[in-house]
Amino acid sequence: MLELRVVKRTGAVVEFDTHRIHGAITKAVAASEHSLEEREVDEIVDAVNTEIRGRFNDFYPNVENIQDIVEKHLVRGAHYEIAKAYILYRAERQKAREVAAERAIENAKLGKLTVKKRDGRLQLLNVKKVDDGLRRAAVGLGGAIDFDAILREVVKNVYDEVDSADIDRALVLAAAAFIERDPGHSFLAARLLRQRMIKEVAGRSITDGELDGVYRETFIENIKALIECSHLDRRMADFDLDRLAAAMKPERDLQFQYLGLQTLYERYFLRKGGACMELPQAFWMRVAMGLAIDEPEQRDDWAIEFYELMSQRRFVPSTPTLFHSGTTHPQLSSCYLTTIEDDLKHIFKSLGDNSQLSKWSGGIGNDWSNIRATGSPIKSTKVESQGVIPFLKIANDVTNAINRSGKRRGATCAYLETWHYDIEDFLDLRKNTGDERRRTHDMNTANWIPDLFMKRVMADADWTLFSPDEVSDLHHLYGRAFEAAYEAYEKRAREGDMNLHKVVKAKSLWRKMLTMLFETGHPWITFKDACNIRSPQDHVGTIHSSNLCTEITLNTAADETAVCNLGSVNLACHMSDGELDRDQLASTVTTAIRMLDNVIDINFYPTQEAHNSNMRHRPIGLGLMGFQDALFEKGLPFESEAALDFADSTHEWISYHALGASCTLAQERGSYPSFDGSKWARGLLPIDTLDLLERERGVPVEVSRTTRLDWDGLRQRIQEHGMRNSNTMAIAPTATIANISGCFPCIEPIYKNIYVKSNISGEFTIVNHYLVAELKSLGLWSDDMLDQLKYFDGNVSLIEGVPEEVKAKYKEAFEIDPVHCLRMTAARGKWIDQSQSHNVFMKGTSGKMLNQIYTAAWRLGLKTTYYLRSMGATQIEKSTLDASKFGFTQKREYQPLAAKSNAPAAPGAAASGGGGPLPTPPAAMRPASAKPTDRMEAKVADPQLCRIDDPDCEACQ
């Protein structure tokens, strides 16, 4: 488990101490003149501790986070008077800090504050020097930077004899607090963070004139030092380090926004003894070297070419690759897919494999459909099986125990076919009620649905559940072959020739599947036949499941663990003057395919089965991010036919060049070993497989077959020269690498136009910078407009005075027709040989709508879907807003708000970071003397969201 630490208000990070929570509660009890037994205090402390450790896995909580959680648990326990005392205490402490801050400001003006330097010397704080440094860092960022406000915020957070490092931190946090006002503050905060990093890596302050030389010198020195301490592969010394150092472009650091650079610094840069050993361009070069380490010729040239691609963020590999490239254990793959046999030894071997795969940052997709059902006989012991559920509980606990490379939680998804006798219990695994021994709260689940089941649902027909030990071939069949075998087993069951079976109404089971999906977010809906019928590798096995994030569709078997080798093209970086630079995109895709193919040979494989599979089939997954950015650049609403056509044509271009690049690599390096007999060898490309799916189903696949490029020529090339990779494309979630790249994740519409981002340094509000730029161009951006965006939770359609075309362009995910989003995914999917992580965003609670969405997904030929993100009535608390202008902070229904002028500026808002809605306390608990805290809370009635760093998902990337 990650060592839990806490971010103080100064930005300093200290160890988490439950004794402080115990003491604060005890003081609140005494102040309230009520009593709590020591046992009750301990129970509250334990509950707070459990929630904090469960929620804060990817960033550290700050003091406010912890205090909010304490307050919540006091209210939950109906200790209202104690909670009131606690709230009053917080308000008093806040007031004391404000008084101290004002005093600090006055002392700073009078030159009375001192600063402790690195060597221990004390010097008077020179506010002008701080101001000058701020202004130098902001050169080129335009006139929107509020230097006076930032400087005031910095001075408020310093004290006499403050460490110079604390001033550096305060500068970064102060700039980040104003990101909501203008995106330029994000670049300023990133530059200030970069200055801190340079001091840390260089071990001293450096001048602007020294920067270039120090940057390159420390790269060479630290590569050598990391090799000596056995952190990096010794072959890294074989590169021409002087040439690579000269090829770095330090000025590209200035392209980072704060969130991206801060994410790299906290999670990705290599460290030695806790000290950072990499600067941003050195990091990209280290990753590039690791990916070029096995290049037989011109290794330095390839490293520089890979560096150019990544440092411009045109293509970014997945998180495990960034973590481990060039290291002594280069586990560069993202996810693994396994099939578990109906054998006790293999079950526990698979659980052990899970732990090894997860240890090295791999997400897991487990196929459990082979395990016999509850009540089926075990011949050797003459007892009845307990079915698959108890083993899933063990898998859940293994997942929970593993900390992925010390940086990410273990993550697993279990898949089960819809005909499995235990399917109804499987649907209940994520419920919060019932027998905890049959619940898996830490593991994802997904339905593996055959087409025949969907046909039975639509026909309102019966569906029969079986135990796999009696129908052992069903799991390995699909299409018409599955239908024939399934119907034969049903006939045998009716004739009394099956030991264990159950007949249910298909529509009733479908309804329960959708109900559980809505209530718990699981199991996800994935389609077995579309995955298998369209698979290029149908000649050498069966796809039994997808992966953790539902974008990988590869064959698995007892001796083959499928491996995902991922990276994503950033479409935002290929836009120029509102148009897609197709030549540059083709170049990016070609080089990216080579980088991903290199991963296969360099990779450290935690299990032999993973090595077997990857070497035999050599699959890779080239993905996409920044699609929403590209639409903003083009001025296209997400919910438009023009955007649909752009999605289609863009991915046709990507697919054409990805397949062409793999074919070219086959000419250079040879085809993958299992190429013969594949769809590639038979002249079948992804676009051709839609007709195959339609014929097998006997139901139309409602996707256009329009093409624009020379696919016949590519078919001939592939049949002549082969393919280097069995699979080439898969669109993963990309949340973390999208943060690094400064773009919107994956293929999704914008989640919110304004939201609060939490990370290790605290929380800050982010506003859609495309929206800000457009409102500025229309003369509509102001403090008042920011207030209105907060009030309406980012929904510009509710703000009067904003033009209709702007409202259409900046619709948020929950405002967009989910079936339109499915159509876009289907349009891309016809070009892709694997699948896509498609989140479904649904507003409201209509079961009819839910059925229409997932039925449409099947009719459109989608292979998989990911999270259902549902939103009911939203309740917003905006305590940074002016109550005289906006009324009460609790809003249950929105009404359009007319624009007003001369509104006061909203202070820098930060969310409470609370874990769900806080029960509303009695009026008596709200002390009149308590001032509102500086925060923005969004309370969603039904937050079915990825729990890893909402609003994005970091499970895969």
Side-chain angles (χ1 to χ4, degrees), residues 202-220:
R204 61 183 177 86
S205 298
I206 62 172
T207 65
D208 291 343
E210 295 176 291
L211 174 61
D212 191 83
V214 169
Y215 209 114
R216 302 178 199 283
E217 290 165 9
T218 56
F219 163 72
I220 297 172

Side-chain angles (χ1 to χ4, degrees), residues 564-579:
C564 323
N565 308 295
L566 302 175
S568 295
V569 172
N570 180 2
L571 210 57
C573 288
H574 296 83
M575 300 298 296
S576 177
D577 296 325
E579 295 299 326

Side-chain angles (χ1 to χ4, degrees), residues 324-376:
H324 302 136
S325 184
T327 66
T328 51
H329 284 84
Q331 198 303 105
L332 311 180
S333 297
S334 298
C335 286
Y336 298 87
L337 289 68
T338 71
T339 286
I340 299 167
E341 298 297 319
D342 187 32
D343 173 79
L344 200 59
K345 287 184 179 179
H346 194 261
I347 290 170
F348 280 92
K349 178 188 183 304
S350 298
L351 294 173
D353 289 349
N354 276 8
S355 65
Q356 286 298 317
L357 297 169
S358 191
K359 169 185 175 181
W360 292 101
S361 291
I364 313 296
N366 288 149
D367 156 38
W368 289 90
S369 293
N370 288 318
I371 308 302
R372 70 187 62 203
T374 305
S376 59

Side-chain angles (χ1 to χ4, degrees), residues 169 194 218 223 316 366 388 462 510 910:
R169 277 193 289 267
R194 176 184 186 245
T218 56
I223 288 287
V316 180
N366 288 149
V388 69
D462 290 338
W510 176 244

Side-chain angles (χ1 to χ4, degrees), residues 661-676:
S662 186
C663 180
T664 300
L665 275 178
Q667 291 178 256
E668 177 186 337
R669 298 174 170 179
S671 290
Y672 68 93
S674 63
F675 171 78
D676 290 341

Side-chain angles (χ1 to χ4, degrees), residues 166-297:
D166 285 338
I167 293 181
D168 292 339
R169 277 193 289 267
L171 277 165
V172 175
L173 294 176
F178 292 92
I179 290 174
E180 63 179 33
R181 293 191 183 181
D182 188 276
H185 291 94
S186 181
F187 290 97
L188 176 59
R191 294 180 181 188
L192 295 168
L193 175 59
R194 176 184 186 245
Q195 290 178 2
R196 274 184 54 202
M197 291 160 45
I198 292 170
K199 284 183 183 179
E200 181 177 352
V201 172
R204 61 183 177 86
S205 298
I206 62 172
T207 65
D208 291 343
E210 295 176 291
L211 174 61
D212 191 83
V214 169
Y215 209 114
R216 302 178 199 283
E217 290 165 9
T218 56
F219 163 72
I220 297 172
E221 292 168 0
N222 289 345
I223 288 287
K224 293 177 178 177
L226 289 166
I227 291 171
E228 285 305 308
C229 69
S230 299
H231 200 113
L232 290 181
D233 191 316
R234 290 199 169 273
R235 291 178 296 167
M236 297 282 274
D238 296 337
F239 285 90
D240 185 339
L241 295 180
D242 289 325
R243 181 185 173 195
L244 298 188
M248 292 193 307
K249 296 180 171 57
E251 65 274 12
R252 287 183 181 163
D253 289 357
L254 304 183
Q255 297 170 6
F256 280 107
Q257 296 184 53
Y258 172 61
L259 180 59
L261 189 58
Q262 195 266 350
T263 300
L264 282 179
Y265 175 70
E266 296 294 349
R267 301 189 195 176
Y268 290 86
F269 291 169
L270 296 182
R271 296 176 183 274
K272 178 183 176 183
C276 181
M277 299 289 282
E278 292 184 312
L279 292 172
Q281 301 308 309
F283 161 77
W284 292 127
M285 187 61 82
R286 184 262 299 172
V287 175
M289 293 163 65
L291 292 175
I293 202 165
D294 278 350
E295 286 283 354
E297 298 177 0

Side-chain angles (χ1 to χ4, degrees), residues 800-820:
E800 290 186 2
V802 175
E804 291 302 317
E805 61 271 20
V806 175
K807 292 180 178 180
K809 193 186 305 182
Y810 295 98
K811 278 187 176 182
E812 298 173 334
F814 286 106
E815 298 178 86
I816 296 171
D817 178 6
V819 175
H820 176 81

Side-chain angles (χ1 to χ4, degrees), residues 524-543:
W524 303 324
I525 303 296
T526 60
F527 300 108
K528 170 187 180 180
D529 288 46
C531 292
N532 277 283
I533 293 166
R534 298 194 62 205
S535 169
Q537 292 293 95
D538 56 347
H539 65 306
V540 287
T542 306
I543 301 171

